[in-house]
Amino acid sequence: MKGLKRKIAKLDVRIHFAAAGFVVLLIAVLGYMMVVSPQHAKAAQLQAQADGVQLQIYKRKAQLKAGLHPPTIETADLFRLARAMPDRVDMPGIILTLSDVARASGIKFDLIEPVIGGELPNGSYQTSRIHLLFNGDFYGLSDFLYRLRSLVAVRNGELLASGRLFNVDTVTFNVVGDAFPQITAELFVNAYIYGSGAAAAPTAPATAPTTTDSTSTTPATDSTAPAGATAAGATP
């Protein structure tokens, strides 16, 4: 036993310091693992909970702020809807639109006139009936019908309106001999008006239809024309 003590005493002093340092380091590591590390994990958990609560506060503030502002009104959609279905008849505008579409199709109508008594209320809208007479190329008339239908369309749920909403109610045409594609046709078209109380088109003294022929533009009194009917020729 005494020999062992002598051997230990003879060891280098540096070895004694190294051993003491190792013991201190071991105690520090064990102390961190047993005391500090659990507290650090708990602190991280508390920080995560605090961040979650703060996020909920931000979301709630955003919802309250959004509730203070009314929803944005898509004025472009309202403008297109008003163009497709105005709240008044505007018969001169209807005749002008039909004449413009006919001109774009390369045709002209011999007669464009409103049908007196053709205003039909239907809930939140009404229709106004227009009578047209045509003498010309069948394919030009087909192009006119296509263009008229394309004035208002819905694509991918979006309303597209470059003009008024029309519906071609009746088309009757006749071919004389082998003259096709030259035909004569009679059409009835409905123009749509928003609102059931839209004002009807103003009436005027009865006159005979005015044709597009520049050589016969003087109207003549026609006792057989419906009372209050006004005929207007399409602009060439």
Side-chain angles (χ1 to χ4, degrees), residues 39-40 43 48 71 118 160 209 233:
Q39 295 299 325
H40 181 73
L160 303 176

Side-chain angles (χ1 to χ4, degrees), residues 130-181:
I130 302 96
H131 179 217
L132 303 95
L133 293 178
F134 172 76
N135 185 4
D137 182 68
F138 168 81
Y139 300 106
L141 181 61
S142 298
D143 185 47
F144 166 80
L145 296 177
Y146 171 78
R147 290 173 182 269
L148 192 67
R149 183 181 61 184
S150 301
L151 290 177
V152 179
V154 177
R155 295 189 180 92
N156 298 323
E158 180 182 1
L159 176 65
L160 303 176
S162 58
R164 193 161 189 155
L165 177 62
F166 290 94
N167 173 47
V168 180
D169 184 31
T170 305
V171 179
T172 305
F173 63 90
N174 183 39
V175 180
V176 179
D178 297 330
F180 188 84

Side-chain angles (χ1 to χ4, degrees), residues 7 57 79 103 114 119 123 128 144 170 204 209 212 226 229:
K7 290 181 179 179
I57 293 174
F79 177 76
R103 185 183 299 107
E119 292 78 16
S128 185
F144 166 80
T170 305
T212 57

Side-chain angles (χ1 to χ4, degrees), residues 34-64:
M34 296 177 65
V35 179
V36 179
S37 182
Q39 295 299 325
H40 181 73
K42 186 177 181 179
Q45 184 179 4
L46 293 175
Q47 184 62 40
Q49 293 177 355
D51 292 341
V53 172
Q54 189 66 35
L55 180 60
Q56 291 179 0
I57 293 174
Y58 288 150
K59 288 183 178 180
R60 183 58 179 167
K61 287 183 177 180
Q63 292 173 355
L64 292 175

Side-chain angles (χ1 to χ4, degrees), residues 61-85:
K61 287 183 177 180
Q63 292 173 355
L64 292 175
K65 186 176 180 181
L68 297 177
H69 301 281
T72 303
I73 299 176
E74 299 293 342
T75 55
D77 292 342
L78 293 178
F79 177 76
R80 287 192 290 265
L81 181 60
R83 174 185 290 176
M85 292 183 65

Side-chain angles (χ1 to χ4, degrees), residues 91 94 98 112-115 128-132 187-189 191:
M91 187 55 65
I94 291 176
L98 293 173
I112 302 178
E113 65 175 355
V115 177
S128 185
R129 195 171 175 86
I130 302 96
H131 179 217
L132 303 95
L187 299 84
F188 287 94
V189 176

